[in-house]
Amino acid sequence: MAKGRTVIDEARCKGCKLCVSVCPQEILAISSRLNEKGYLVAEVVDADGCTGCGMCAIICPDVCFTVYRQVPVRAR
Amino acid sequence: MARELWKGNEALAEAAVRAGVVAYFGYPITPQTELLEYLSLRMVRLGRTFLQAESELAAINMVYGVACTGVRVMTSSSSPGISLMQEGLSYIAASEVPVVLVDIMRGGPGLGNIQPSQGDYFQVTRSCGHGDFRPLVLAPATVQEGVDLVYEAFDLAEKYRTVVIVVADGNIGQMMEPAEMPPMRDISTEQPDWALVGADGRSHRIITSLFLSAEKLETLNLRLQAKVQRVRENEVRYREHRAEDADILMVGFGTMGRIAQTAADMARQKGIRAGVFRPVSLFPFPSAALETRSHQARRILVVEMSAGQMLEDVRLAVGKDYPVEFYGRMGGVIPLPDEVFDAVEKIHAEMCHD
Amino acid sequence: MTEVTEELVYQRPESLTQVHTHYCPGCTHGTAHRLVGEVLDELNVRGRTIGIAPVGCSVLAYYYFDVDFAEAAHGRAPAMATGMKRTHPDKVIFTYQGDGDLAAIGTGEIVHAAGRGENITVIFINNAIYGMTGGQMAPTTLEDQKTSSSPLGRDVSIAGYPLRMCELLATLDGAAYISRQSLHDVRHIRRAKKAILTAFKTQMAGLGFSMVELLSTCSTNWKMDPVESLEWLRDNMIPYFPLGDFKVAEAVKEL
């Protein structure tokens, strides 16, 4: 079960591959889809592998990533 | 207010203080430095901002920074320093932020000397930075007039959101004359709606002179030219001395306007009808007034402490067929009244032969 | 099965606008912008900050920060910042400059701003090349590095040596915090953010001049792909431009 989730703003992506190069879970890749500017955009290839570590967001020069992490709810 | 004896440079400085200047940035260069020295104490005493910069180039950009925040700011320099400020002046003009600049001219070109000169007429009226823009240029002939023009320059800079240059030669900066100071204005606290003061509770503002699209840059330029047109229509200033019935009309600004006045009086004593037309606004040049006056005179004698620069504006005003003579000295040599009078006498003699 | 909710870990800083940047793919200008945006958010000063953009690739920075911004003549941002800060000491003033802007034409301004201890923060992007004009040699171009104006590689006997601005400015008493960081990997980006935070805190505490130099990439003009560029930076720039804090005034240590 995925411990996190990362969402890519494809319109901003320039296909620079930096996120792909740093993702420790290797769940990111450059897709075959073009965005409006003509870049092949990055995509999550295995959402279950995401731990929500946020490294993709830190390396991305174009602020394409919004990252979430699953957090157990403390019993009330 | 009482009339006191003031040194030109210091009087111009005090006039700026009275006008509510918030910040001054400058650099030592003769014959302007006393303006800076005066403010180095006065501004600090008033709790205002004073800084001697590392160069005129830095100084004008410090001024630019402050001008972007919508408060009154000025700098001063002399000829070589103005050359260093030209890039900054162009950015300031393009950004439409108000700035006052005092230029006390010296002998040039190059390092030249520290004598008075008017050899920067072109620099301040034509080429005080790259691109199409024309600063408002005012030329006092006395310390009092300098005080009044600097005091008013801040209002004009804000009215047109542009650069206003008060330009005088080293004489006026260095000599002492009686002058009466205008009342002290308090520092304005209202902020123009374009000023950069922090985008608290609003979207951010940008002040830039970069317009990568040609159309946008042209739009800016059209706005700047419309401003120049308004300046031409509203800010022409000149003085006359015995010009109404002058056969020989001398045209001179600043110190040369005063020397021409003495020469005119000398000529009158010899029965020669001479008068003086003294532009105070070098831009906008008083072309229409001079052209009208030229119809009733028979000769024009332009007198300058240069090779003849205002001469071109005079020729433009009166047309190529009008007989325009020129008498000037360069290198900081001041043509004294008797030299100018001799030139008038020579023209008068030729006139009588025609 | 314990109940699970989702917590937001990372989102776009508020101090950045929605405008898409014009920077080349992988260009670390974008990273630097984001870090400054994050710091302005965390310090909650967006509404009283004024930024000054240079001439260079980041001339258009004013479109990307939701902050009042002026655009300075090439190299003159520290002078503009000096004027602004002295007349508006309550505002947070920062310049954002490239290596051509700060270490070539603007050397005079940066040295004197630091020497005067101006209470401003300078974000100095060092990518060892003139980006906007198409890849010419810069004051920080490395020895033997090929550029469009040093096609045979920088010959130090002709073009002199790359300038180490942090070490140079750290000798000035007015400098309160000078640090060189890098944007070539996640770990170093985290450290760079800490340094930027310290720099802005230095200014806000009125302790004097602060600058963070950020080693950056320019894949287009280095003629490498973005991932290679980060590696080239690590292997070539860091040896010549060592990372770390070069000046930390006593009072800054207590921040």
Side-chain angles (χ1 to χ4, degrees):
Chain A
M1 221 289 280
K3 290 204 232 53
R5 183 165 65 93
T6 186
V7 178
I8 300 171
D9 177 345
E10 294 193 341
R12 289 183 185 280
C13 177
K14 294 174 183 167
C16 74
K17 301 197 191 72
L18 295 192
C19 56
V20 175
S21 74
V22 300
C23 174
Q25 305 294 102
E26 295 175 352
I27 62 160
L28 297 173
I30 296 301
S31 71
S32 55
R33 284 177 293 104
L34 290 169
N35 68 9
E36 202 191 54
K37 289 183 238 166
Y39 291 115
L40 291 170
V41 297
E43 66 178 359
V44 177
V45 294
D46 169 14
D48 284 347
C50 180
T51 64
C53 72
M55 286 223 198
C56 50
I58 291 169
I59 197 72
C60 176
D62 286 280
V63 205
C64 298
F65 290 88
T66 304
V67 183
Y68 303 89
R69 197 174 294 156
Q70 306 294 353
V71 175
V73 175
R74 252 170 251 86
R76 263 179 293 287
Chain B
M1 290 298 215
R3 275 161 65 88
E4 297 161 318
L5 205 53
W6 279 92
K7 185 177 186 109
N9 281 333
E10 289 168 353
L12 302 181
E14 180 59 23
V17 166
R18 303 281 173 120
V21 70
V22 168
Y24 171 89
F25 305 92
Y27 191 83
I29 181 167
T30 309
Q32 159 270 172
T33 313
E34 293 85 357
L35 195 155
L36 174 141
E37 286 167 345
Y38 181 87
L39 291 178
S40 67
L41 181 61
R42 181 76 162 128
M43 291 290 270
V44 175
R45 281 246 171 83
L46 292 168
R48 303 184 192 180
T49 297
F50 169 87
L51 180 63
Q52 181 180 307
E54 59 269 29
S55 69
E56 290 91 346
L57 202 147
I60 191 66
N61 282 287
M62 292 174 187
V63 166
Y64 182 27
V66 174
C68 288
T69 69
V71 299
R72 291 192 156 185
V73 60
M74 73 172 288
T75 184
S76 60
S77 188
S78 170
S79 312
I82 303 295
S83 297
L84 286 177
M85 291 186 173
Q86 289 185 283
E87 182 198 38
L89 291 170
S90 178
Y91 274 68
I92 287 164
S95 312
E96 300 185 88
V97 291
V99 161
V100 170
L101 164 67
V102 171
D103 175 10
I104 307 295
M105 297 180 285
R106 62 187 260 168
L111 188 51
N113 61 27
I114 57 171
Q115 298 299 328
S117 156
Q118 298 183 327
D120 303 340
Y121 182 91
F122 283 155
Q123 177 178 50
V124 288
T125 60
R126 295 292 191 289
S127 66
C128 87
H130 55 281
D132 285 302
F133 76 97
R134 307 292 299 267
L136 212 163
V137 185
L138 303 170
T142 66
V143 170
Q144 183 65 63
E145 195 175 25
V147 164
D148 301 338
L149 290 177
V150 166
Y151 194 68
E152 194 188 353
F154 287 90
D155 296 333
L156 291 169
E158 282 164 10
K159 177 178 172 185
Y160 295 101
R161 283 176 58 184
T162 186
V163 180
V164 177
I165 300 177
V166 175
V167 61
D169 58 67
N171 260 340
I172 293 168
Q174 289 300 319
M175 72 180 163
M176 296 189 82
E177 274 190 321
E180 191 177 327
M181 282 298 156
M184 178 73 95
R185 276 209 192 103
D186 36 27
I187 308 278
S188 134
T189 49
E190 41 101 6
Q191 290 166 344
D193 58 14
W194 46 264
L196 303 184
V197 288
D200 193 13
R202 60 167 169 73
S203 63
H204 66 143
R205 291 174 185 153
I206 296 171
I207 291 184
T208 179
S209 57
L210 177 68
F211 298 88
L212 289 173
S213 114
E215 289 72 23
K216 286 209 178 88
L217 186 55
E218 183 175 52
T219 306
L220 166 73
N221 272 286
L222 289 171
R223 197 163 65 237
L224 295 181
Q225 289 308 312
K227 187 183 299 190
V228 165
Q229 194 46 36
R230 285 205 311 282
V231 165
R232 280 188 202 274
E233 282 151 14
N234 302 304
E235 303 306 337
V236 168
R237 301 146 197 257
Y238 60 95
R239 295 286 181 281
E240 288 184 310
H241 175 75
R242 309 177 83 161
E244 312 70 31
D245 63 344
D247 291 333
I248 299 171
L249 185 67
M250 284 180 274
V251 183
F253 73 95
T255 297
M256 283 319 297
R258 290 175 69 161
I259 289 173
Q261 197 168 304
T262 309
D265 295 344
M266 290 165 70
R268 289 276 175 168
Q269 278 157 17
K270 294 277 175 36
I272 301 172
R273 291 215 303 262
V276 181
F277 181 97
R278 177 167 70 83
V280 174
S281 58
L282 302 187
F283 186 82
F285 191 75
S287 308
L290 178 57
E291 203 264 340
T292 311
R293 186 59 78 201
S294 71
H295 295 319
Q296 144 266 320
R298 293 171 59 197
R299 290 284 189 287
I300 281 181
L301 170 62
V302 176
V303 289
E304 290 181 78
M305 289 197 288
S306 73
Q309 296 183 25
M310 183 184 64
L311 176 61
E312 294 192 3
D313 276 337
V314 170
R315 285 214 172 100
L316 277 173
V318 299
K320 65 178 175 52
D321 300 326
Y322 195 96
V324 174
E325 311 286 341
F326 173 72
Y327 185 81
R329 299 296 298 271
M330 295 176 285
V333 172
I334 304 172
L336 297 180
D338 50 8
E339 285 175 66
V340 176
F341 169 69
D342 291 348
V344 169
E345 227 178 12
K346 198 152 95 13
I347 292 170
H348 184 257
E350 285 156 15
M351 231 167 60
C352 297
H353 285 310
D354 298 357
Chain C
M1 230 285 281
T2 53
E3 213 184 299
V4 171
T5 66
E6 236 179 7
E7 183 194 67
L8 184 61
V9 172
Y10 187 80
Q11 65 176 331
R12 181 177 193 77
E14 270 170 35
S15 294
L16 296 183
T17 64
Q18 293 300 327
V19 178
H20 288 206
T21 71
H22 70 291
Y23 300 119
C24 307
C27 169
T28 50
H29 265 307
T31 322
H33 282 35
R34 198 194 67 236
L35 294 182
V36 173
E38 287 170 16
V39 164
L40 294 181
D41 281 5
E42 277 160 44
L43 294 172
N44 193 18
V45 290
R46 186 194 66 82
R48 65 184 178 93
T49 295
I50 303 174
I52 300 164
V55 168
C57 285
S58 51
V59 64
L60 297 176
Y62 50 71
Y63 284 139
Y64 308 135
F65 286 98
D66 193 9
V67 161
D68 276 2
F69 238 91
E71 194 282 301
H74 198 27
R76 314 309 170 199
M80 281 188 88
T82 297
M84 286 180 171
K85 187 68 181 188
R86 284 176 175 246
T87 50
H88 300 277
D90 57 320
K91 304 299 180 198
V92 174
I93 311 283
F94 76 98
T95 75
Y96 186 102
Q97 300 176 253
D99 43 48
D101 195 272
L102 181 140
I105 193 169
T107 325
E109 280 75 9
I110 196 69
V111 165
H112 283 277
R116 288 190 302 262
E118 293 298 337
N119 247 310
I120 59 174
T121 298
V122 173
I123 304 299
F124 169 33
I125 305 297
N126 176 3
N127 60 9
I129 204 151
Y130 279 87
M132 174 193 246
T133 41
Q136 295 74 28
M137 184 181 74
T140 50
T141 293
L142 299 175
E143 187 170 2
D144 301 331
Q145 185 180 344
K146 285 192 170 62
T147 72
S148 66
S149 62
S150 60
L152 305 175
R154 178 179 194 151
D155 178 342
V156 292
S157 70
I158 297 171
Y161 296 85
L163 297 181
R164 295 189 181 96
M165 293 308 293
C166 282
E167 291 83 341
L168 190 148
L169 296 175
T171 63
L172 303 173
D173 297 336
Y177 181 67
I178 304 269
S179 179
R180 177 182 295 123
Q181 301 294 329
S182 176
L183 300 176
H184 72 279
D185 64 25
V186 170
R187 185 162 58 89
H188 284 88
I189 291 172
R190 287 190 201 277
R191 269 210 219 124
K193 176 175 173 178
K194 245 168 103 273
I196 293 170
L197 190 61
T198 304
F200 275 93
K201 281 184 178 165
T202 299
Q203 171 179 169
M204 291 165 71
L207 300 175
F209 180 82
S210 56
M211 178 175 95
V212 178
E213 176 179 347
L214 297 171
L215 298 187
S216 297
T217 59
C218 180
S219 22
T220 299
N221 289 304
W222 291 357
K223 298 183 170 51
M224 303 169 200
D225 78 44
V227 176
E228 268 174 330
S229 304
L230 296 179
E231 287 153 9
W232 188 85
L233 185 163
R234 180 195 59 214
D235 302 337
N236 297 279
M237 289 186 74
I238 292 179
Y240 190 87
F241 298 109
L243 304 182
D245 291 346
F246 290 85
K247 183 72 175 292
V248 186
E250 279 314 307
V252 174
K253 289 181 179 134
E254 280 123 36
L255 282 179

